[in-house]
Structures are given as structure tokens and as C-alpha cells.
């Protein structure tokens, strides 16, 4: 066996569908089922003790406790066979007393059980279609009797014994109410059902032969000796299974959960089981949402008739499978999320619920930051990052990750990873951004885990792949793919060298360096979770049947592990705390277990904690301010109340002091009056004493005289009486003698008279005997006549009785019908009365809510008044600032006036300078107009070029989008080809089992489960059709747009080409004209030169004309200088235009290089080299 031992510490959960799932062991301890255990919970001391289920048990079905609270019977299914285990509760720990698992009759499961009053017999009801009722002498495992209760497959809900009779049994179900008695080795029915059959849900014994039965329509029936005696309705909306419904006199309500987004959900719970404490002071109820409630049944509250409210017996529990489990380092917290749309934060040190909140969407995964202040939760619609406040859970960041099934904070807390289908997104907790997306899995990712230093992330999925990712590069370092296995969970050793993985192939794999080192068999079970300790010395795995296996690491080759019964469903999550002391498990049964981990010698496997658990909590600033405000208000209120109380006390003291003065004066007066009365009475008493003494002396004298007189008289009377006595004695003697003589005479006469009388009476006797005989004969004849008449009279009376019976039975029926009608009318009146009462209660509740709102509004008014005061203060402050600013404005206006004076002087100077500049400005204006015309032409060219560039970029983007779509489609095609290849290989492997139908069926079913998921097929088919239609529509739209854009590009290209050619032709013609003008200018200059030369010759010939030619020479000398100035100006303008044209050419070349655009026309502007040469020649 393994050296690692796990011991159950605490459980958070309840299995509500177990029949009779809660009862009291004593006044403080209750017993209820949780997971695959029965829990003994002490309500006062908050401890739990566990009664584990049988080995290989598939879950509990029903419970029953004996009347003496000594034995507990549990109905289970062990290896698909029913079994009843009876535990002895008085021993510690509870031990098995008997196991009933060998049956001579067909049975699928036992759905209800009951102990006899003396706890010797056990009654068990089997499920349909057998529906047998079994009567056991359980200590000897002897079946005393068995009978089939129902032949129509109707469900049976409850069986029970009479509280005083072992032989009397009651069974209720859908359409059945049967009383049975055990006689002569069989169970015989003693009642016959009358009237319409009802769906009887529960019953309880009131007396020896009286039973109260409840139905699904809210009716209660009282049966006495099998006959209905009484009926009432309790007006319930939902069917309830209550065992002692008559004991509840007042109305009770299940509380509304304040953390729930849908408060009406609390009213939708069905009460499944009720149980009273032995002293009948507390009532405990279990509901269909796995909750336990309690209520105190004090007579004072019941007598008031006010509706009472249930309270949670422990804390709110999960009512659906737990999907996420997390723990942290700095606090003893456990975070869980469930399909019941709730998040709960537990404390495993105090075993309490710290925080609890419900949401609109289902939560699939959860992770707790190592500090214990934040959680990340994967909801059905989004991934949310939340703060754990002191009394709330608030979201502060949301990510659009739908249905995140796995998420996990890193060990350092600076990163967290979330799974989106087959992609892992890694985010930072500092700036909350996505730093990398890890893609590579082809199936859904089922598990992710960080290594110790957070440098790597390990993932496993349904595609049979286990990848190790390097977060610094975002690439896979190692990979291990086994397509025949769908992995459920992965973990990594503390040194990050070995990866452990469990999946659907019933093995535990050790993976290192992309290869499987070894596989350890799970022995026909599927491992669902795995976890290894931080010390690396122990390992725990969870199975699909809810058990936990504890192993020592390194793993043994043989079957060396400890297996513990834990849950009643597959284990979904398992974790070890940071100090390796506690193991946490959660499962689909909605229960959360905490386990203490030991080694074989009983020593806890501990890691030394340098720092204790943190006690800090998060509180928002607004909450603190609100609470501070509330505290201030309360303080002020307390002070006001103190003042009021002091004032009231002073008033009361004054009133009381006045009253005391009045009373003291009154009492003093009364005391003085009493003193005077006392003195008067004393004087009267003294007088009376003197009078009484004198009176007594007189009486004594009288008595002595009377005594002496009486003595004298009595003595004389005595003497006279004595003389009379002597005379009477003499008379008596004489009388005695006379009587004796008379007696003798009488005896003689008596004897003679007797003889005569005997003779006389003997004669009479003879006569009488004869008369008697005659009378006897007459009597016999009269008897015969009497019997005949008697027979005739009896027959007549029988006929009359039958007639009377029929007549009165008719009357009885009529009376019953009228009684039923009256009962119906009374029921209707009661319903109306109850509805009116409910309306009255609703109105009162509305009034209370309105009062509460009024109080809230008064508080708001007070807060607004305070805000108004604060705003008034701000207005005063702002008025002061406005005054300061007005002063500054006045100073600035003065400065502005001074600056205005300076401006006037400067304006005068500017006007003079403008007069000087005006001629130059005219020239500049002319040149600017020319430049503007040229710039307008260039802008037109620029606009056309930019428009064409935009069109080209749009076309490039569309081409890139189509390329990406084509790549995606090719990737999908490759994935589908890979899937088809995998399917072909698996199908080829299945063909090998064609001679073995059973194996072939299992393999084909495995193929179906692996490759065909119905929901996915339906979704994919629907999505594929929609996607194809959308894709075709988008493609047609894009193709039409592309065609129109192509046409536009061709047209605009042709237009651009024609414009370009036209401009180039105009430029060529202008250059030709310029060249012709240059030639003409050159020709004219040569002529002028020739003429000047000729004029010089004539000057030699005609010197007399010197005076005439001198002014002309001056004219010529001035003309060339002016012409040269004009030539310099035109040369400068041409040079500027040439530079501008060169700049524009450079820009066009840059645009062509950027956009890849080539000019449609290959014509280039002619160079100005010839013109430049000509100009140089001319200037020279």
C-alpha cells in the first residue's frame, strides 16, 4: 500500500435527491448525505464526522434511522447491484453492523426504507417495475415477508411502520394508499381505497390507527382504520414532501438570497424533507437546490401567528456541478464556480463561506491570484477579471473570450492564461493586455498548468496533444501527440522535467522530452484529474466514479495506492494547498471536500511557511467614504440621541424629584396623622384594659357564687335519684319472674299448634303439586306458541329493518353530498379569505417598502443639502477668484493702451515702408499670379495622382484579404485532410476487430464519440451553411466592386494618358516657339552687330556726322544694359521654374517607388539644356 494517507476534514455540499436526506441524531447533531458519505454535523460546535459509503459504491439512494437513534440504514448501488448497509451510530467511529446484498428476488434498487418501533425489523421498498415491499428481520438477514405493491409501474414515495405496532405498515405513492398487516408470515392489505386515486406524496402516523396523508395538489387527508375522516387544503404552489406537516401551525417562507440576480429563484425551491429535533424546538428542511434551512419552533412565535422565515443551517451551497476550483498562497481561501451561475469563496481554516455572488451567465472556470485579492472567471459570454472586496465581488476588466473552460494565474501572479477553444491567450496583470496567443492544438484544450518559475506553460487537449510552451518566444518547446487518447488533465513536476497526463485511455503517463517514459494502468477506471505536491513526494488522482487515489512519488509499477470514497460523480477539479497540507476536490455532484494529507507514520507533509496568512482585504474608496459618511452620520445621531436622552433624563429627574417631594410630604402628613391616631388608640386601649380587668373580677365573683349554689342543688338531686334507682330494681325482679312463667305456658301451646299446622300444610302440598303439573303442561304449550310467534315477528322485523336501512342510507348519501358541496364552498371561501389576507400582507409590505424608500429619500435630501452647502462654499471661493481676475484684467487693459500708442507709431512707419515697397510688390504680385497658375495645374496633377494611389491601395488591401481567405481555406482543407487521415487510420484499426462484434461495436462507438459530436455537428452544419451563404454573398459583392474599380482605373488611366499627352504636346509646342524666338533674337542681334560695324565704317568716312551719332551711341549703350537687365530677370525666372519642375519630377519618382505605380505614358519633358546654352551664348 501507498505511504500517503488522506483524511476527510470538511465537506461543503448536500445530495438532495437521496430519499429522507436529513434527520437528527440528537439535539445538536444532524445527519445528511454529501458526496459518497453521510455526514454527522454538530450545529453548535461546527465539526463534522464522516460515515463513508461502501467500496465501489455508485451513490446513495435512501436513508433511514431507527427510532432509538442507534442504527442507520443506507441504500446504495454497489457495482450495479443494490445493497443495504446498516451502521451502528453509537460506536465511534461508526461501524458496519450488517450488509444486506444477497436477495432471492429481483430488485434494481431500494427507494425507501423504515425501521420498526423496536428497531428489530426493516421495511424496504424496491423501484418499479418490481415494486416489491420487503419485510426483514435484519439482524438475522431473514426475509419475513415480501409482497408486490403495484402492477402499473407507479412510483412509491414512502413506507413506514406504525409507531406502536411492528406488524402494521403504511405505503403511499402515485394513486396508492395501502395499509398492510403482517400476519402468519405474509403482508395482507387491511384497507380498501374509495373515491378517486390521488398522488400521495407523504404520510405520517398521528395515533395507533390514524394517519395524515399529503398530496401533490396541497390536500391533507386524515384516515382512521383505513377510512377517510377529514380533509383540508394547505394551498401550496409546488409539490412538497413533508413528513410532519400537521405540526407546522404557522406559515414559513424560504428567505430571498440578497446576492442573487433573480430573487424569485429562492421561491422556486421544492422542500424535499422536513425533520424536527428531539425536543421539537427546531425544524430543519432540505430543498431541491441542495440547501439546508432551519427555523426555531417556539410556542410564543406560533401563538402570534406571524409568518416565520427559514435561515441557512450552515451557509448557501452549490446546487449544480462545480466546474472551477482555485486556491491562493497568502490566504486560506478556496474559490469555486458552478453551473448554478454562482461564485463562492470558502475559508478552509474556519470552514465558512467568505463571499458569495450569483450572475446571469454560467461560470465555467475560475482562478485565484496568489495574493487572494483577485480572481479571473470564464463566463459563457466573457472572461472577467474581478476584485475580491470585503463584502462583494466586482469586475474591473472584461475580455471577449466566450465559454472559457480553463484559466489560471501564474505562480508569481504577474500573468494569467485563458483558453479560447484551441487557443491559449496569455495576459499580464499589470497593464491587462494580451501579450501572446499560443496556437497549435487542433481540439479543445482541457487543462493548462504553469511550471514553478512561470517560464513555461503546459497544455493538454482532446486532440491527444500535450504541448510545452516557452512564454518568452511564444513557441512550443516539446510536444507529445497520441491521437487515440483524449487528455483530461495535465500537471508538471516541481523541477519542470516530467509532465504527467491522464486521459480517456485508462492510464497515467509520464512524459519527458516529447516522449512517453512509461504508462501506469488505472485498472479499468478513467482518471479525470491529477495533481502533484509542491514537495514532489506525493501524487493524487481523481476518477470518473468519484474516488481519490493517493500515491507516493516516484510512481510504483504495482497496484500500490490508497483509494478513498469521496464523491458521487466524476471529480472535475483537484488541488493541493501551497503548504501541501490540504487536498481540495470538487465534482459533478456539487460537493467540495477538504482532506488532510499525512504520510504512513501519521506525520503531516508540511512546508515551512515563512509568513502567516494575510488578513488584509480590499475596500474601494467609495465604500470607505460611504462608510465614513455613515459613521459620521451615526456619530452625530448618537450625539443627538445622547443629548435627547440627557434632556429626557433631566426632565424625568425633575418630574421624579417633584413627585418624590409630593410623596414625602404626603407620607409625613400621613405619618403624623397615624401617630396621633396611635396615641388616641393607646389611650383607648388603656381605658379598655382597666374596664376589662374590673369586668373579669366581677365575673369571677359571680362564678364562684353560682358554683356553690349548683353543688348544693346537685347533691340533693343525687340523693333523690338513688332512692328511685332502688325502687326500680325491685320492680325488675318481679317482672322477670312473671315473664318466665308466661314463657313456659307459651312453649306448651306452641308445640300443639305446630303439630296441627304440619298436618294442614301437608294436605295443601299435595293439592299444589297436582296443580303444578297441570301448569307445567300449559307452559309447554305456551312456549311452542311463543316460538312460532317469535319467528314470525323476527321475519317481519328483518323486513322492516331492511326497508329502514335502505331509506336511511339514501338519506346518508344525500347528507354526504350536501356536506361535500358545503366543504367545497367552505374551501372556496377559505381560498378567497387567504387571497385577501395575502393582498393585505402585500399592501403592508408595500407600505413598509415605501416607508423604507421615504427614509432613503430623507437621507438623500440630507446628503443633497450638504452638497448644496459645499457648492455655496465653492461659489464664494470662485467669486473671490473672479475679483482677482478682474483686477488682473484692469492692469492688462492699461498695458494694452500703452501698447496701442506704440502700435500707432509703428503703423505710421509701416505705411511709409509700404509706399516704398509698392512698386516691388506689384512686380511680385504679377510673378505670384503666374506661380499660382502653375501651382493650380500642379495641384490638379497631385489630386489625380493621390486619387489613383488611393484606388491602388484599396485594390492591394482587397487582394491581401482575398489571399488571407485563400490561406484560411487551404488551412481548413489541410485540417480536414488530416482529420480524414486520422479517421481512416482509426477505421482501419477497427476493421481488425471485424470478427469480434462486441469489440467492433465498442471501437465504432469510440469512433463516434471521438469524431462525431451531435451538438457540434448541428452547430457546424448550421454554421457551415450560413458561412457558405455569407461567403458567397461577400465574394460576389467583392468581385462586382473589383470589376467596377478595374473599369474606373482603366478609364482614369486613359483620361490621365490623354491629359498627359496633351500637356506634353503643349509643352513641346511652347519649347518650339521659344527656340524659334531665340533664333529670331539671335538673327536680329547679328543684324544689329553688322549694322553697328557698318556704322563704324561710315563714321570713318563721314566725321562731320559725329555730333549726330554721339547721342545715338548713348542710346545704344543704354539699350543693351536695359536688355541685359531684362535677360537676367528672365534667366532667373527660368532657373526657378526649372528647379520647381525638377522638384516635381523627384516627387513623382518617389510616389512611383512607394506605390509601385508606373506612368502610363512614357513621354518625358524635354530638357532645357539647349535653351540654357542659348541663354549663356546670348548673355555672353
Amino acid at each position: 500500500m501507498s505511504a500517503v494517507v488522506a483524511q476527510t476534514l470538511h465537506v461543503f455540499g448536500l445530495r438532495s435527491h437521496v430519499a429522507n436526506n436529513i434527520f437528527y441524531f440528537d439535539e445538536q447533531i444532524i445527519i445528511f448525505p454529501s458526496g459518497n458519505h453521510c455526514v454527522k454535523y454538530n450545529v453548535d460546535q461546527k465539526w463534522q464526522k464522516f460515515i463513508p459509503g461502501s467500496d465501489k459504491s455508485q451513490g446513495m439512494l435512501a436513508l433511514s434511522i431507527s427510532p432509538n437513534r442507534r442504527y442507520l440504514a443506507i441504500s446504495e448501488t454497489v457495482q450495479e447491484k443494490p445493497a443495504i448497509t446498516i451502521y451502528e451510530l453509537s460506536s465511534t467511529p461508526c461501524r458496519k453492523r450488517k450488509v444486506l446484498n444477497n436477495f432471492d428476488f429481483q430488485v434494481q434498487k431500494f427507494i425507501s426504507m423504515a425501521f420498526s418501533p423496536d428497531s428489530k425489523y426493516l421495511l424496504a421498498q424496491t423501484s418499479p417495475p418490481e415494486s416489491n415491499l420487503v419485510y426483514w428481520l435484519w439482524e438475522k438477514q431473514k426475509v419475513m415477508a415480501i409482497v408486490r405493491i403495484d402492477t402499473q409501474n407507479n412510483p412509491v414515495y414512502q413506507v413506514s411502520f406504525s409507531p406502536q405496532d411492528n406488524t402494521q405498515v403504511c405505503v403511499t405513492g402515485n394513486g396508492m394508499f395501502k395499509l398492510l398487516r403482517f400476519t402468519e408470515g405474509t403482508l395482507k392489505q387491511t384497507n380498501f381505497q374509495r373515491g378517486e386515486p390521488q398522488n400521495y406524496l407523504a404520510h405520517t402516523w398521528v395515533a395507533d390507527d390514524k394517519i395524515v396523508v399529503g398530496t401533490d395538489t396541497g390536500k391533507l387527508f386524515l384516515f382512521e382504520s383505513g377510512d377517510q375522516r377529514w380533509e383540508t387544503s394547505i394551498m401550496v404552489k409546488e409539490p412538497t414532501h413533508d413528513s410532519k406537516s400537521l405540526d407546522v401551525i404557522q406559515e414559513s417562507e424560504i428567505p430571498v438570497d440578497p446576492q442573487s440576480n433573480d430573487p424569485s429563484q429562492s421561491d422556486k425551491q421544492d422542500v424535499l424533507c422536513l425533520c424536527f429535533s428531539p425536543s421539537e424546538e427546531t425544524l430543519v428542511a432540505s430543498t431541491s437546490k441542495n440547501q439546508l434551512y432551519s427555523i426555531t419552533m417556539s410556542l410564543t412565535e406560533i401563538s402570534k401567528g406571524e409568518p416565520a422565515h427559514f435561515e441557512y443551517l450552515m451557509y448557501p451551497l452549490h446546487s449544480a456541478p462545480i466546474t472551477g476550483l482555485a486556491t491562493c498562497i497568502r490566504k486560506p481561501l478556496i474559490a469555486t464556480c458552478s453551473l448554478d451561475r454562482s461564485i463562492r469563496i470558502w475559508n478552509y481554516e474556519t470552514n465558512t463561506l467568505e463571499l458569495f455572488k450569483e450572475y446571469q451567465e454560467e461560470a465555467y472556470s475560475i482562478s485565484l491570484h496568489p495574493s487572494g485579492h483577485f480572481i479571473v472567471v470564464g463566463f459563457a459570454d466573457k472572461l472577467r477579471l474581478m476584485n475580491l472586496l470585503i463584502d462583494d465581488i466586482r469586475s474591473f476588466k472584461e475580455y471577449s473570450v466566450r465559454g472559457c473552460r480553463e484559466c489560471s494565474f501564474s505562480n508569481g501572479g504577474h500573468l494569467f492564461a485563458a483558453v479560447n477553444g484551441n487557443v491559449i491567450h496569455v495576459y499580464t496583470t499589470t497593464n491587462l493586455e494580451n501579450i501572446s496567443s499560443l496556437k497549435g492544438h487542433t481540439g479543445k484544450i482541457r487543462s493548462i498548468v504553469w511550471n514553478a518559475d512561470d517560464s513555461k506553460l503546459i497544455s493538454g487537449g482532446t486532440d491527444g496533444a500535450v504541448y510545452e510552451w516557452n512564454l518568452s518566444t511564444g513557441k512550443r518547446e516539446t510536444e507529445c501527440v497520441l491521437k487515440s487518447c483524449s487528455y483530461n488533465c495535465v500537471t508538471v513536476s516541481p523541477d519542470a522535467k516530467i509532465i504527467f497526463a491522464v486521459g480517456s485511455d485508462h492510464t497515467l503517463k509520464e512524459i519527458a522530452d516529447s516522449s512517453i517514459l512509461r504508462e501506469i494502468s488505472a485498472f479499468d477506471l478513467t482518471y479525470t484529474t491529477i495533481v502533484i505536491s509542491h514537495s514532489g513526494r506525493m501524487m493524487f488522482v481523481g476518477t470518473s466514479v468519484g474516488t481519490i487515489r493517493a500515491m507516493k512519488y516516484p510512481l510504483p509499477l504495482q497496484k500500490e495506492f490508497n483509494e478513498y470514497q469521496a464523491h458521487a460523480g466524476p471529480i472535475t477539479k483537484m488541488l493541493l494547498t501551497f503548504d501541501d497540507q490540504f487536498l481540495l476536490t470538487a465534482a459533478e455532484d456539487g460537493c467540495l471536500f477538504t482532506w488532510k494529507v499525512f504520510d504512513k507514520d501519521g506525520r503531516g507533509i508540511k512546508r515551512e511557511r515563512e509568513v502567516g496568512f494575510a488578513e488584509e482585504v480590499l475596500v474601494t474608496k467609495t465604500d470607505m467614504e460611504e462608510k465614513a459618511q455613515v459613521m459620521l452620520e451615526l456619530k452625530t445621531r448618537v450625539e443627538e440621541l445622547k443629548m435627547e436622552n440627557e434632556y429626557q433624563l433631566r426632565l424625568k429627574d425633575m418630574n421624579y424629584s417633584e413627585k418624590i417631594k409630593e410623596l414625602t410630604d404626603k407620607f409625613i402628613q400621613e405619618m403624623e396623622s397615624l401617630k396621633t391616631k396611635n396615641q388616641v388608640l393607646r389611650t383607648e386601649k388603656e381605658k379598655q384594659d382597666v374596664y376589662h380587668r374590673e369586668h373579669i373580677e366581677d365575673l369571677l365573683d359571680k362564678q364562684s357564687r353560682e358554683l356553690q349554689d349548683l353543688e348544693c342543688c346537685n347533691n340533693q338531686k343525687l340523693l333523690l335519684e338513688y332512692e328511685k334507682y332502688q325502687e326500680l330494681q325491685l320492680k325488675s325482679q318481679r317482672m322477670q319472674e312473671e315473664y318466665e312463667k308466661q314463657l313456659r305456658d307459651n312453649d306448651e301451646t306452641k308445640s300443639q299448634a305446630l303439630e296441627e299446622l304440619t298436618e294442614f300444610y301437608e294436605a295443601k302440598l299435595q293439592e299444589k303439586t297436582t296443580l303444578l303439573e297441570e301448569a307445567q303442561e300449559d307452559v309447554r304449550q305456551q312456549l311452542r306458541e311463543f316460538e312460532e310467534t317469535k319467528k314470525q315477528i323476527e321475519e317481519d322485523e328483518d323486513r322492516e329493518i331492511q326497508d329502514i336501512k335502505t331509506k336511511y342510507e339514501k338519506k346518508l348519501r344525500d347528507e354526504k353530498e350536501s356536506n361535500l358541496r358545503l366543504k367545497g364552498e367552505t374551501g372556496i371561501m377559505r381560498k378567497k379569505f387567504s387571497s385577501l389576507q395575502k393582498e393585505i400582507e402585500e399592501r403592508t409590505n408595500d407600505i413598509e417598502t415605501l416607508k423604507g424608500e421615504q427614509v432613503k429619500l430623507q437621507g438623500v435630501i440630507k446628503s443633497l443639502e450638504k452638497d448644496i452647502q459645499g457648492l455655496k462654499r465653492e461659489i464664494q471661493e470662485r467669486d473671490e477668484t473672479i475679483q482677482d481676475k478682474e483686477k488682473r484684467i484692469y492692469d492688462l487693459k492699461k498695458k494694452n493702451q500703452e501698447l496701442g500708442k506704440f502700435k500707432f507709431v509703428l503703423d505710421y512707419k509701416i505705411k511709409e515702408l509700404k509706399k516704398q515697397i509698392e512698386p516691388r510688390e506689384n512686380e511680385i504680385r504679377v510673378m505670384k499670379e503666374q506661380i499660382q497658375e502653375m501651382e493650380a495645374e500642379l495641384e490638379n496633377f497631385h489630386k489625380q495622382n493621390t486619387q489613383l494611389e488611393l484606388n491602388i491601395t484599396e485594390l492591394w488591401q482587397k487582394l491581401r484579404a482575398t489571399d488571407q481567405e485563400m490561406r484560411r481555406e487551404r488551412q481548413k482543407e489541410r485540417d480536414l485532410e488530416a482529420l480524414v487521415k486520422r479517421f481512416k487510420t482509426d477505421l482501419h484499426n477497427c476493421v481488425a476487430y471485424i470478427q469480434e462484434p462486441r469489440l467492433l461495436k465498442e471501437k465504432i462507438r469510440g469512433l463516434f464519440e471521438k469524431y462525431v459530436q451531435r451538438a457540434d455537428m448541428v452547430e457546424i452544419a448550421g454554421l457551415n451553411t450560413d458561412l457558405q451563404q455569407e461567403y458567397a454573398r461577400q465574394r460576389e459583392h467583392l468581385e462586382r466592386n473589383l470589376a467596377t474599380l478595374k473599369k474606373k482605373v482603366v478609364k482614369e488611366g486613359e483620361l490621365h494618358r490623354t491629359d498627359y499627352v496633351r500637356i506634353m504636346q503643349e509643352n513641346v509646342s511652347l519649347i518650339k516657339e521659344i527656340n524659334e524666338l531665340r533664333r529670331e533674337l539671335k538673327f536680329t542681334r547679328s543684324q544689329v552687330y553688322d549694322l553697328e560695324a557698318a556704322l563704324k565704317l561710315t563714321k570713318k568716312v563721314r566725321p562731320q556726322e559725329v555730333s549726330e551719332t554721339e547721342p545715338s551711341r548713348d542710346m545704344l549703350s543704354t539699350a543693351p544694359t536695359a536688355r541685359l537687365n531684362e535677360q537676367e530677370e528672365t534667366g532667373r525666372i527660368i532657373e526657378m521654374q526649372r528647379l520647381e519642375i525638377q522638384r516635381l519630377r523627384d516627387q513623382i519618382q518617389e510616389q512611383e517607388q512607394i506605390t509601385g505605380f508606373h506612368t502610363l505614358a512614357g513621354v518625358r519633358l524635354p530638357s532645357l539644356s539647349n535653351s540654357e546654352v542659348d541663354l549663356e551664348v546670348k548673355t555672353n
Side-chain angles (χ1 to χ4, degrees), residues 726-741:
Q726 285 179 350
E727 290 175 357
L728 289 168
Q729 265 187 346
L730 293 168
K731 284 181 181 179
S732 66
Q733 285 176 1
R734 290 180 197 139
M735 290 287 287
Q736 193 171 6
E737 289 173 356
E738 288 175 359
Y739 281 119
E740 283 177 357
K741 287 177 183 177

Side-chain angles (χ1 to χ4, degrees), residues 6-44:
Q7 179 184 354
T8 49
L9 277 184
H10 203 86
V11 64
F12 305 95
L14 169 70
R15 290 190 62 207
S16 60
H17 65 274
V18 177
N20 194 18
N21 54 28
I22 187 165
F23 36 80
Y24 271 89
F25 175 64
D26 56 26
E27 196 64 37
Q28 286 82 31
I29 298 172
I30 60 169
I31 297 176
F32 59 89
S34 182
N36 207 13
H37 291 71
C38 271
V39 182
K40 291 172 71 176
Y41 176 69
N42 191 304
V43 180
D44 295 336

Side-chain angles (χ1 to χ4, degrees), residues 1102-1134:
R1102 284 185 266 180
Q1104 68 270 12
E1105 296 177 0
V1106 174
S1107 61
E1108 295 177 359
T1109 56
E1110 282 176 0
S1112 65
R1113 193 178 294 136
D1114 295 329
M1115 293 283 289
L1116 288 169
S1117 63
T1118 56
T1121 55
R1123 196 178 294 114
L1124 282 170
N1125 290 328
E1126 289 176 0
Q1127 286 176 358
E1128 286 174 0
E1129 189 71 25
T1130 54
R1132 191 166 62 250
I1133 291 164
I1134 289 163

